[in-house]
Amino acid sequence: MSTVTAPAWAASDPYATALRTGRGPLFLRRGDGWLLPLDVERWCAAADAVDRAVLDRCEGTVLDVGCGPGRLVAELAARGRGALGVDVSEAAVARTHTLGGRALHRSVFDPLPGEGGWGTVLLMDGNVGIGGDVAALLHRMRELLRPDGLLIVETAPGDVDERSRVRVVDVTHGGGAVGEPFPWARVGTPALLALARRGGWPETVQWTDGERCFVALRSRRTSSRAEPPKSTAVMSSQRSRNTSGSSPVADR
C-alpha cells in the first residue's frame, strides 16, 4: 500500500492557526492565480442542517476521511455512533479531540483501523480531491469499506473535472504562498459518476441540499437507496484537510 506524505499546508502556520482560531480567510491557489476559498468558519462550527442530513444516511461505523477540525465526528459521537476521523493535519486532529471526537493523525493511504469493515466512509468538503487522483482514492475507499458499505462524497457544484497543483494562501498576510505545492482535484457529480462506473461502483444516489452536492456509492449492490440506518453498530477498535466545494473566486 502506498503512503502519501502530508501536504505542505497541513503543517503550515496559517492553516493550523485558522483551525485553532476558527477563522480564515484561506484559499487554495493554483500557479495561474486561480483561488478556491477554504470554508474554515463552517468547518470549525458545529454540524449544520445539511451536515446532519448527510449523517442521517450513515450506516454502521463511520470513517470521516479528511475530518478537519472534527465537526462531523463530534456530531456522530454525540449521537452515540461509532466514528473515527483521519486527517494529515495535527491541528485538525487536536481540535477533533477537543470536541469529543476520535481522530488519527494519518494519511488515508496509511494503514488504518478496521480496514474492510467500515459501514460508511465520508469524503466531505471537497476531500474527494485528496492526492489529486480521484480514481485511486475511490479504490482506497473500497479497501476501507465492508462489502456492502456506503461511500458518501460531497462533489463540486457544476460539471467540474480538474486536477492541479495548488498552495495554501493566507490573504490577510500579504497573499504569500505557504509551503510546497501539492496535488489536488475538483470533480462535480457527472465526473464522479463516470469514475465510479469505471471503478465498478454499481449503486449511486445523488442529491443537492442548498448549494451543496452529494453522491452516495455502494461498494456492492444491496439496495437502490442510501437510507438512514435502522440500527447503530458499536466500533470495537479505534485508536489526517478539507476544501470547500464552492466556486473559485478571482485572484486578489
Side-chain angles (χ1 to χ4, degrees), residues 27-76:
F27 296 83
L28 292 184
R29 188 176 73 184
R30 287 193 319 222
D32 62 2
W34 173 97
L35 291 174
L36 178 70
L38 306 182
D39 202 352
V40 174
E41 287 82 1
R42 181 169 64 82
W43 302 336
C44 290
D48 61 21
V50 177
D51 295 328
R52 293 192 298 271
V54 170
L55 299 184
D56 288 343
R57 296 174 179 259
C58 292
E59 303 171 355
T61 54
V62 182
L63 181 67
D64 184 8
V65 173
C67 66
R71 75 188 192 281
L72 303 179
V73 178
E75 172 66 20
L76 287 165

Side-chain angles (χ1 to χ4, degrees), residues 11-209:
S12 67
D13 289 339
Y15 181 74
T17 299
L19 291 190
R20 293 187 187 108
T21 63
R23 296 190 302 274
L26 291 179
F27 296 83
L28 292 184
R29 188 176 73 184
R30 287 193 319 222
D32 62 2
W34 173 97
L35 291 174
L36 178 70
L38 306 182
D39 202 352
V40 174
E41 287 82 1
R42 181 169 64 82
W43 302 336
C44 290
D48 61 21
V50 177
D51 295 328
R52 293 192 298 271
V54 170
L55 299 184
D56 288 343
R57 296 174 179 259
C58 292
E59 303 171 355
T61 54
V62 182
L63 181 67
D64 184 8
V65 173
C67 66
R71 75 188 192 281
L72 303 179
V73 178
E75 172 66 20
L76 287 165
R79 297 182 182 197
R81 300 292 302 272
L84 178 69
V86 57
D87 203 293
V88 295
S89 166
E90 190 171 359
V93 171
R95 186 168 178 126
T96 301
H97 291 166
T98 299
L99 294 177
R102 305 187 69 178
L104 284 174
H105 180 211
R106 198 173 297 180
S107 164
V108 67
F109 292 97
D110 290 336
L112 293 174
E115 294 203 15
W118 292 95
T120 303
V121 176
L122 299 174
L123 284 172
M124 298 281 281
D125 303 324
N127 282 325
V128 68
I130 289 172
D133 186 338
V134 178
L137 187 61
L138 289 177
H139 177 76
R140 177 60 174 146
M141 298 302 98
R142 189 186 297 280
E143 294 176 337
L144 295 171
L145 284 163
R146 68 191 185 194
D148 60 344
L150 185 66
L151 173 63
I152 300 180
V153 181
E154 183 169 359
T155 58
D159 192 1
V160 179
D161 188 6
E162 62 184 38
R163 285 94 177 122
S164 59
R165 294 184 68 80
V166 296
R167 300 172 188 258
V168 166
V169 174
D170 178 355
V171 299
T172 64
H173 294 87
V178 176
E180 297 299 318
F182 59 91
W184 198 257
R186 293 179 69 239
V187 294
T189 295
L192 180 68
L193 293 179
L195 286 167
R197 285 192 295 270
R198 291 199 293 271
W201 297 82
E203 294 275 345
T204 62
V205 180
Q206 54 183 295
W207 72 97
T208 60
D209 197 339

